[in-house]
């Protein structure tokens, strides 16, 4: 298991800006992974949602973040207390599910 890959995945999950260097680092490892190396938890998602609600991230950035996480084999999504894969899918696919708005993120944040 590569410590630098895990560190880059954690930076991606935290959405440390600018994100380009993290994306470049992760690109050196490719997409394939036999098992997830990190797990996305509610404690990871809430700060990113709060940053959007505070105006520190745009809807486009929130969608980009979720899209970067959505199909990675090296990131698992916790399913308790809520299924985070559904939240990541919703945020990553605003073109299918409607725009990302404050109301949408508030509903996600409170688990409705």
């Amino acid at each position: 298991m590569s410590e630098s890959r895990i560190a880059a995945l954690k930076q991606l999950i935290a959405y440390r800006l600018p994100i380009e260097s993290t994306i470049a680092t992760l690109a050196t490892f490719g997409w394939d992974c036999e098992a997830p190396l990190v797990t996305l938890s509610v404690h990871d998602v809430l700060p990113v949602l709060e940053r959007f609600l505070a105006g520190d991230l745009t809807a486009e950035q929130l969608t980009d973040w979720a899209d970067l996480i959505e199909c990675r084999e090296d990131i698992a999504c916790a399913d308790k207390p809520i299924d985070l894969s559904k939240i990541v899918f919703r945020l990553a696919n605003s073109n299918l599910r409607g725009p990302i708005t404050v109301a949408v993120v508030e509903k996600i944040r409170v688990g409705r």
Side-chain angles (χ1 to χ4, degrees):
M1 170 173 16
S2 169
E3 294 302 317
S4 59
R5 184 175 185 168
I6 291 171
L9 289 169
K10 288 179 179 180
Q11 287 181 344
L12 173 62
I13 287 171
Y15 203 55
R16 301 218 195 290
L17 298 176
I19 196 70
E20 291 76 17
S21 64
T22 301
I23 293 169
T25 299
L26 288 171
T28 65
F29 300 109
W31 284 89
D32 296 332
C33 191
E34 291 182 25
L37 302 176
V38 297
T39 300
L40 180 72
S41 75
V42 170
H43 301 291
D44 298 316
V45 174
L46 287 177
V48 177
L49 297 179
E50 294 296 335
R51 288 168 57 199
F52 169 77
L53 293 172
D56 296 333
L57 296 176
T58 65
E60 182 180 330
Q61 287 173 310
L62 189 56
T63 296
D64 289 344
W65 170 77
D67 189 51
L68 289 166
I69 290 172
E70 185 179 27
C71 296
R72 294 201 67 91
E73 292 179 357
D74 47 10
I75 299 176
C77 287
D79 59 2
K80 293 188 183 3
I82 56 175
D83 186 349
L84 291 179
S85 64
K86 290 180 181 178
I87 290 172
V88 170
F89 177 83
R90 169 61 179 102
L91 295 173
N93 293 285
S94 60
N95 57 330
L96 300 174
R97 305 290 307 272
I100 303 301
T101 64
V102 168
V104 167
V105 173
E106 284 286 354
K107 285 182 181 179
I108 290 170
R109 187 174 64 113
V110 297
R112 289 188 257 148

